[in-house]
Amino acid sequence: MTPVIVLGATGMVGQRAVSLLKGHPWLRLAGLVASERSAGRSYREACRWHLPGEPWAGMGEAPVYPAEPSLLTEVVGGPGIALSALDSEAAARIEPAFAAAGWAVVSNASAFRMDPRVPLVIPEINADHLALMDAQPWRGGIVTNPNCTSMPLALTLAPLDRALGVEAVLLASYQAVSGAGYPGESAWDMVGNVRPHPGPEEIKVAEEPLKILGRLEGGQVRGHPMGISARCVRVPVADGHLIAVSVRTRKSADPADVIALLEGWDPGLDLPSSPRPLLIHREERDRPSPRMDADAGGGMAVSFGRVERCPVMGLKYFALAHNTLRGAAGAAILNAELLVKTGRVIPK
């Protein structure tokens, strides 16, 4: 099995990663890494656990290590996969150090997503973009997964683009508070309220799908030429980001044909964390909804519904994904599985 360490193991995304790695068929959790104030303590002492199920995923007595590549390489017995749940500022410093030491870094942070040397990968869409790693300056490498709102957008646009040609997208997101981590948004901001997103979320959602859906040519990704305009809002929901999408395509299609296209899309990806079906159609008029659909496919599927004609753009629909599973920790683990399957990391 391939050894995996989790950078930022005490945060919300890190906790999700730890829980998902327990019992994984390909990946072995080999080390927990956190800040200097947490290093040297047990995971139980360093981490206030916020997830349901077994506290600390049974890893409560495991030691927490500082983010020192040489130390972790010695502990693990050689470089493996470093799954990064660090915030962007820390990731910009720490991830290249691990890559330079030979680790394959799978990052959930935004620090390197738009770096032209670094692939931004959703395995069901653009696994071929891993080839960018061949020209990276590190002995190991860095691969990233996208923002939690870009995820359901890109996964639903991919089959539409290949069949119909996507030209432009308008979207509004309704985003769960877990996307802000812990303690996240204040109760004053969220109770009885919705809040226009205070961060750069709209920029990420407008940029990232263009890279994901772009073409790999001559060792570079040529971004997709579609235009994306996004409005992002935080809502008082625990988990699950809902997006309302309007799309203009080169070829027209009836809503029934679009539903069949999305339902039938099977990338044929044989990875443990990639669900089948990947895109799940909800026929009810009030679905998909976070409470009912965020956990579809073990939290790794995307639910969609209300596929209708749009008098302005041509097509509109709702889509929903679990933001800390498919949109964060689960997406990073899926990319780690892809690295193993493509032989970029050799199991020990």
Side-chain angles (χ1 to χ4, degrees):
M1 296 182 74
T2 302
V4 177
I5 62 172
V6 177
L7 308 178
T10 58
M12 287 289 286
V13 174
Q15 291 178 32
R16 280 287 187 192
V18 170
S19 66
L20 292 172
L21 286 167
K22 183 177 182 180
H24 193 283
W26 294 7
L27 308 174
R28 172 177 60 86
L29 182 57
L32 304 173
V33 182
S35 64
E36 290 291 339
R37 68 176 180 273
S38 297
R41 306 166 71 187
S42 70
Y43 194 42
R44 181 190 307 274
E45 294 170 328
C47 173
R48 182 177 177 184
W49 191 256
H50 295 291
L51 300 182
E54 184 180 10
W56 304 284
M59 299 291 293
E61 304 311 316
V64 176
Y65 297 101
E68 297 176 6
S70 59
L71 172 63
L72 271 300
T73 300
E74 181 179 351
V75 168
V76 173
I81 295 175
L83 197 156
S84 175
L86 299 168
D87 64 45
S88 187
E89 182 179 349
R93 295 183 289 104
I94 294 171
E95 291 175 0
F98 275 88
W103 290 80
V105 178
V106 181
S107 177
N108 186 68
S110 63
F112 294 100
R113 284 180 190 152
M114 300 309 295
D115 188 316
R117 305 170 299 173
V118 175
L120 178 60
V121 173
I122 300 175
E124 293 95 342
I125 298 176
N126 63 334
D128 62 313
H129 288 195
L130 284 185
L132 291 178
M133 297 177 73
D134 296 336
Q136 288 180 354
W138 308 291
R139 188 160 63 91
I142 300 175
V143 59
T144 61
N145 51 272
N147 171 275
C148 47
T149 310
S150 301
M151 183 67 75
L153 178 64
L155 280 168
T156 51
L157 288 180
L160 294 177
D161 185 52
R162 292 171 188 181
L164 305 174
V166 174
E167 294 182 332
V169 178
L170 293 173
L171 75 106
S173 69
Y174 308 88
Q175 299 184 209
V177 292
S178 57
Y182 184 87
E185 307 279 358
S186 73
W188 178 255
D189 287 328
M190 294 313 306
V191 173
N193 192 31
V194 297
R195 186 185 190 203
H197 201 289
E201 196 84 350
E202 294 169 356
I203 296 172
K204 296 176 185 178
V205 178
E207 292 180 343
E208 292 175 7
L210 306 184
K211 184 175 181 180
I212 296 164
L213 297 170
R215 297 176 60 184
L216 185 66
E217 296 179 352
Q220 296 180 327
V221 173
R222 178 178 293 180
H224 195 289
M226 77 175 77
I228 300 177
S229 179
R231 284 301 198 198
C232 299
V233 177
R234 189 77 74 189
V235 297
V237 168
D239 294 306
H241 286 1
L242 178 69
I243 56 174
V245 187
S246 294
V247 184
R248 186 176 72 234
T249 58
R250 286 194 300 274
K251 300 177 183 178
S252 63
D254 292 333
D257 294 332
V258 171
I259 292 169
L261 174 66
L262 295 178
E263 277 191 306
W265 187 48
D266 183 359
L269 194 67
D270 188 19
L271 296 176
S273 297
S274 182
R276 288 183 176 173
L278 175 61
L279 304 179
I280 299 174
H281 179 232
R282 301 305 317 191
E283 296 181 356
E284 304 91 333
R285 189 156 179 81
D286 60 349
R287 302 274 287 277
S289 67
R291 180 177 295 173
M292 304 301 293
D293 299 303
D295 291 325
M300 292 295 287
V302 174
S303 299
F304 72 97
R306 295 280 302 278
V307 181
E308 301 166 355
R309 293 187 182 278
C310 174
V312 176
M313 298 289 284
L315 175 70
K316 59 183 178 181
Y317 61 90
F318 285 99
L320 180 137
H322 196 301
N323 53 293
T324 65
L325 290 171
R326 171 50 89 161
I333 288 175
L334 185 59
N335 274 336
E337 295 168 359
L338 182 64
L339 290 176
V340 173
K341 184 175 182 179
T342 55
R344 292 182 175 275
V345 182
I346 305 301
K348 293 181 174 64

Short mmCIF file of all heavy atoms in Angstrom, two decimals, residues 96-124:
data_model
loop_
_atom_site.label_atom_id
_atom_site.label_comp_id
_atom_site.label_asym_id
_atom_site.label_seq_id
_atom_site.Cartn_x
_atom_site.Cartn_y
_atom_site.Cartn_z
N PRO A 96 6.02 23.12 -1.65
CA PRO A 96 7.21 22.95 -2.48
C PRO A 96 8.36 22.26 -1.76
O PRO A 96 9.15 21.55 -2.40
CB PRO A 96 7.58 24.40 -2.85
CG PRO A 96 6.31 25.15 -2.72
CD PRO A 96 5.59 24.53 -1.57
N ALA A 97 8.47 22.45 -0.44
CA ALA A 97 9.53 21.79 0.31
C ALA A 97 9.35 20.28 0.30
O ALA A 97 10.32 19.52 0.15
CB ALA A 97 9.56 22.31 1.75
N PHE A 98 8.11 19.81 0.44
CA PHE A 98 7.86 18.38 0.36
C PHE A 98 8.07 17.86 -1.06
O PHE A 98 8.64 16.77 -1.26
CB PHE A 98 6.45 18.05 0.87
CG PHE A 98 6.38 17.88 2.36
CD1 PHE A 98 6.18 18.97 3.19
CD2 PHE A 98 6.54 16.63 2.94
CE1 PHE A 98 6.13 18.82 4.57
CE2 PHE A 98 6.49 16.47 4.32
CZ PHE A 98 6.29 17.57 5.15
N ALA A 99 7.64 18.62 -2.05
CA ALA A 99 7.85 18.20 -3.44
C ALA A 99 9.33 18.11 -3.76
O ALA A 99 9.78 17.17 -4.43
CB ALA A 99 7.14 19.16 -4.39
N ALA A 100 10.11 19.07 -3.27
CA ALA A 100 11.56 19.05 -3.51
C ALA A 100 12.21 17.84 -2.87
O ALA A 100 13.24 17.34 -3.36
CB ALA A 100 12.18 20.34 -2.98
N ALA A 101 11.63 17.34 -1.77
CA ALA A 101 12.18 16.17 -1.07
C ALA A 101 11.70 14.85 -1.68
O ALA A 101 12.00 13.79 -1.13
CB ALA A 101 11.80 16.23 0.41
N GLY A 102 10.94 14.92 -2.77
CA GLY A 102 10.54 13.71 -3.47
C GLY A 102 9.12 13.26 -3.23
O GLY A 102 8.68 12.25 -3.79
N TRP A 103 8.37 14.02 -2.44
CA TRP A 103 6.99 13.64 -2.15
C TRP A 103 6.08 14.07 -3.30
O TRP A 103 6.29 15.11 -3.92
CB TRP A 103 6.51 14.31 -0.86
CG TRP A 103 7.15 13.76 0.37
CD1 TRP A 103 8.38 14.06 0.86
CD2 TRP A 103 6.59 12.80 1.27
NE1 TRP A 103 8.63 13.35 2.01
CE2 TRP A 103 7.55 12.57 2.28
CE3 TRP A 103 5.37 12.14 1.33
CZ2 TRP A 103 7.32 11.69 3.33
CZ3 TRP A 103 5.15 11.26 2.37
CH2 TRP A 103 6.11 11.04 3.36
N ALA A 104 5.05 13.26 -3.55
CA ALA A 104 3.97 13.66 -4.45
C ALA A 104 2.92 14.38 -3.60
O ALA A 104 2.24 13.76 -2.79
CB ALA A 104 3.36 12.44 -5.12
N VAL A 105 2.82 15.68 -3.75
CA VAL A 105 1.92 16.49 -2.94
C VAL A 105 0.58 16.61 -3.67
O VAL A 105 0.53 17.03 -4.83
CB VAL A 105 2.51 17.89 -2.70
CG1 VAL A 105 1.53 18.74 -1.89
CG2 VAL A 105 3.85 17.79 -1.98
N VAL A 106 -0.48 16.22 -2.99
CA VAL A 106 -1.84 16.39 -3.50
C VAL A 106 -2.48 17.48 -2.67
O VAL A 106 -2.75 17.29 -1.48
CB VAL A 106 -2.65 15.09 -3.42
CG1 VAL A 106 -4.04 15.30 -4.00
CG2 VAL A 106 -1.94 13.96 -4.15
N SER A 107 -2.71 18.63 -3.27
CA SER A 107 -3.08 19.82 -2.50
C SER A 107 -4.54 20.19 -2.69
O SER A 107 -5.05 20.26 -3.81
CB SER A 107 -2.21 21.00 -2.93
OG SER A 107 -2.61 22.17 -2.23
N ASN A 108 -5.18 20.48 -1.55
CA ASN A 108 -6.53 21.03 -1.56
C ASN A 108 -6.50 22.56 -1.48
O ASN A 108 -7.53 23.21 -1.58
CB ASN A 108 -7.32 20.47 -0.38
CG ASN A 108 -8.77 20.89 -0.40
OD1 ASN A 108 -9.53 20.48 -1.25
ND2 ASN A 108 -9.15 21.75 0.56
N ALA A 109 -5.31 23.13 -1.31
CA ALA A 109 -5.18 24.58 -1.17
C ALA A 109 -5.21 25.26 -2.53
O ALA A 109 -5.00 24.64 -3.58
CB ALA A 109 -3.87 24.92 -0.45
N SER A 110 -5.44 26.56 -2.52
CA SER A 110 -5.52 27.32 -3.77
C SER A 110 -4.17 27.86 -4.22
O SER A 110 -4.08 28.43 -5.32
CB SER A 110 -6.49 28.49 -3.61
OG SER A 110 -6.03 29.40 -2.61
N ALA A 111 -3.11 27.68 -3.42
CA ALA A 111 -1.83 28.35 -3.69
C ALA A 111 -1.28 28.07 -5.09
O ALA A 111 -0.72 28.97 -5.73
CB ALA A 111 -0.81 27.95 -2.63
N PHE A 112 -1.40 26.84 -5.58
CA PHE A 112 -0.79 26.48 -6.85
C PHE A 112 -1.80 26.06 -7.92
O PHE A 112 -1.41 25.58 -8.98
CB PHE A 112 0.22 25.34 -6.64
CG PHE A 112 1.41 25.75 -5.80
CD1 PHE A 112 1.46 25.43 -4.46
CD2 PHE A 112 2.45 26.47 -6.36
CE1 PHE A 112 2.54 25.82 -3.67
CE2 PHE A 112 3.53 26.87 -5.59
CZ PHE A 112 3.58 26.54 -4.24
N ARG A 113 -3.10 26.25 -7.66
CA ARG A 113 -4.10 25.78 -8.62
C ARG A 113 -3.93 26.39 -10.00
O ARG A 113 -4.10 25.72 -11.02
CB ARG A 113 -5.51 26.08 -8.11
CG ARG A 113 -5.99 25.16 -7.01
CD ARG A 113 -7.39 25.54 -6.58
NE ARG A 113 -7.80 24.82 -5.37
CZ ARG A 113 -8.67 25.28 -4.50
NH1 ARG A 113 -9.23 26.47 -4.68
NH2 ARG A 113 -8.99 24.57 -3.44
N MET A 114 -3.62 27.67 -10.05
CA MET A 114 -3.53 28.35 -11.34
C MET A 114 -2.09 28.49 -11.82
O MET A 114 -1.84 29.13 -12.85
CB MET A 114 -4.21 29.72 -11.26
CG MET A 114 -5.69 29.66 -10.89
SD MET A 114 -6.66 28.51 -11.91
CE MET A 114 -6.54 29.32 -13.50
N ASP A 115 -1.14 27.87 -11.14
CA ASP A 115 0.25 27.83 -11.59
C ASP A 115 0.30 27.01 -12.88
O ASP A 115 -0.15 25.86 -12.91
CB ASP A 115 1.12 27.19 -10.50
CG ASP A 115 2.61 27.29 -10.80
OD1 ASP A 115 3.01 27.05 -11.95
OD2 ASP A 115 3.38 27.57 -9.86
N PRO A 116 0.84 27.55 -13.97
CA PRO A 116 0.83 26.81 -15.24
C PRO A 116 1.63 25.52 -15.19
O PRO A 116 1.45 24.64 -16.06
CB PRO A 116 1.43 27.81 -16.24
CG PRO A 116 2.17 28.81 -15.41
CD PRO A 116 1.43 28.90 -14.11
N ARG A 117 2.50 25.36 -14.19
CA ARG A 117 3.30 24.12 -14.08
C ARG A 117 2.54 23.01 -13.37
O ARG A 117 2.98 21.85 -13.40
CB ARG A 117 4.58 24.40 -13.30
CG ARG A 117 5.46 25.52 -13.82
CD ARG A 117 6.54 25.85 -12.82
NE ARG A 117 5.97 26.30 -11.55
CZ ARG A 117 6.68 26.54 -10.44
NH1 ARG A 117 7.99 26.35 -10.46
NH2 ARG A 117 6.09 26.95 -9.35
N VAL A 118 1.43 23.37 -12.72
CA VAL A 118 0.77 22.45 -11.79
C VAL A 118 -0.58 22.03 -12.34
O VAL A 118 -1.42 22.90 -12.67
CB VAL A 118 0.60 23.11 -10.41
CG1 VAL A 118 -0.19 22.21 -9.46
CG2 VAL A 118 1.98 23.42 -9.81
N PRO A 119 -0.86 20.73 -12.46
CA PRO A 119 -2.16 20.31 -12.94
C PRO A 119 -3.27 20.54 -11.90
O PRO A 119 -3.06 20.34 -10.71
CB PRO A 119 -1.97 18.81 -13.21
CG PRO A 119 -0.84 18.40 -12.33
CD PRO A 119 0.05 19.61 -12.21
N LEU A 120 -4.41 20.98 -12.39
CA LEU A 120 -5.62 21.15 -11.59
C LEU A 120 -6.58 20.06 -12.06
O LEU A 120 -7.16 20.18 -13.15
CB LEU A 120 -6.20 22.55 -11.80
CG LEU A 120 -7.50 22.90 -11.08
CD1 LEU A 120 -7.36 22.78 -9.57
CD2 LEU A 120 -7.95 24.30 -11.46
N VAL A 121 -6.74 19.00 -11.27
CA VAL A 121 -7.27 17.76 -11.80
C VAL A 121 -8.55 17.32 -11.11
O VAL A 121 -8.63 17.29 -9.88
CB VAL A 121 -6.21 16.63 -11.70
CG1 VAL A 121 -6.80 15.28 -12.10
CG2 VAL A 121 -5.02 16.97 -12.59
N ILE A 122 -9.55 16.97 -11.91
CA ILE A 122 -10.67 16.13 -11.51
C ILE A 122 -10.52 14.86 -12.34
O ILE A 122 -10.68 14.90 -13.57
CB ILE A 122 -12.02 16.80 -11.79
CG1 ILE A 122 -12.15 18.12 -11.02
CG2 ILE A 122 -13.18 15.87 -11.42
CD1 ILE A 122 -13.42 18.90 -11.35
N PRO A 123 -10.16 13.73 -11.75
CA PRO A 123 -9.78 12.55 -12.54
C PRO A 123 -10.79 12.14 -13.60
O PRO A 123 -10.41 11.67 -14.67
CB PRO A 123 -9.60 11.47 -11.48
CG PRO A 123 -9.13 12.22 -10.27
CD PRO A 123 -9.93 13.50 -10.30
N GLU A 124 -12.08 12.31 -13.33
CA GLU A 124 -13.09 11.92 -14.31
C GLU A 124 -13.10 12.82 -15.54
O GLU A 124 -13.70 12.48 -16.56
CB GLU A 124 -14.49 11.95 -13.68
CG GLU A 124 -14.72 10.91 -12.59
CD GLU A 124 -14.47 11.45 -11.18
OE1 GLU A 124 -13.80 12.51 -11.07
OE2 GLU A 124 -14.92 10.82 -10.22
#
